[in-house]
Amino acid sequence: MVNTALVYQTKFQKNLHEAYVHLARIDEALDELGKKYRFPIAQEQFADLLTNRSELAFADQIIYRFSKAQDTIGAKLFKAFLLYQGENVDRPFLDILNELEKLHIVDVEEWFVLREIRNDIAHNYEDNQDQARHILNNIYQYRGELRQILVEIEQKTGALPAK
């Protein structure tokens, strides 16, 4: 017989760990770029960054990992958390967000800002240098919001940090 609670707990911990890995990679890449550039990065500095392959790779890593972190949290972790708490997740995503807001885990309006950054990554960042710079600066500004969501979830579950 399968222990459903254990399955949900394992899935939750796996998703929490995955989200923390993405955030750690963002921080590492920002630290590397921070050795040469000051954030928010100005247009002239960003043009310089684009000419250096290794620096551009760090910028791409930041953008990619933010997208993955936002997806992991929104598409996997939120549901895993609610299942772990014994909640029904067979409902619209907005209802899930509203439930998480009631638990003081996420602010729905803030979540949509994070989602918009992720959507900009998916649709615009390769096509427009200024948009790519804007996305990078937004990630620098909002990455702490993703981390705070993870901290709130950990506090609600008593989970050991997945860092």
Side-chain angles (χ1 to χ4, degrees), residues 115-130:
R115 188 66 184 168
E116 184 63 31
I117 296 169
R118 189 252 172 247
N119 288 343
D120 285 346
I121 292 168
H123 301 294
N124 299 323
Y125 112 88
E126 290 287 344
D127 300 334
N128 182 315
Q129 286 183 9
D130 196 51

Side-chain angles (χ1 to χ4, degrees), residues 97-152:
L97 284 177
N98 286 327
E99 179 70 24
L100 294 168
E101 187 171 51
K102 287 178 194 172
L103 296 170
H104 305 288
I105 291 173
V106 67
D107 177 280
V108 172
E109 288 182 32
E110 190 175 89
W111 180 257
F112 282 112
V113 170
L114 298 170
R115 188 66 184 168
E116 184 63 31
I117 296 169
R118 189 252 172 247
N119 288 343
D120 285 346
I121 292 168
H123 301 294
N124 299 323
Y125 112 88
E126 290 287 344
D127 300 334
N128 182 315
Q129 286 183 9
D130 196 51
Q131 183 67 24
R133 182 180 64 85
H134 181 71
I135 289 168
L136 196 59
N137 285 334
N138 278 339
I139 292 169
Y140 177 78
Q141 179 181 352
Y142 288 102
R143 75 188 188 283
E145 307 304 326
L146 289 177
R147 184 174 316 284
Q148 187 58 38
I149 290 169
L150 300 182
V151 167
E152 293 296 331

Side-chain angles (χ1 to χ4, degrees), residues 37-75:
Y37 303 102
R38 188 171 163 199
F39 283 87
I41 193 165
Q43 188 172 8
E44 307 80 45
Q45 287 183 314
F46 189 71
D48 182 47
L49 182 149
L50 292 174
T51 65
N52 184 306
R53 290 178 65 130
S54 64
E55 292 169 357
L56 181 58
F58 285 122
D60 283 345
Q61 177 177 330
I62 292 164
I63 290 168
Y64 170 77
R65 291 294 187 150
F66 182 90
S67 180
K68 293 296 286 180
Q70 202 278 337
D71 280 346
T72 297
I73 293 168

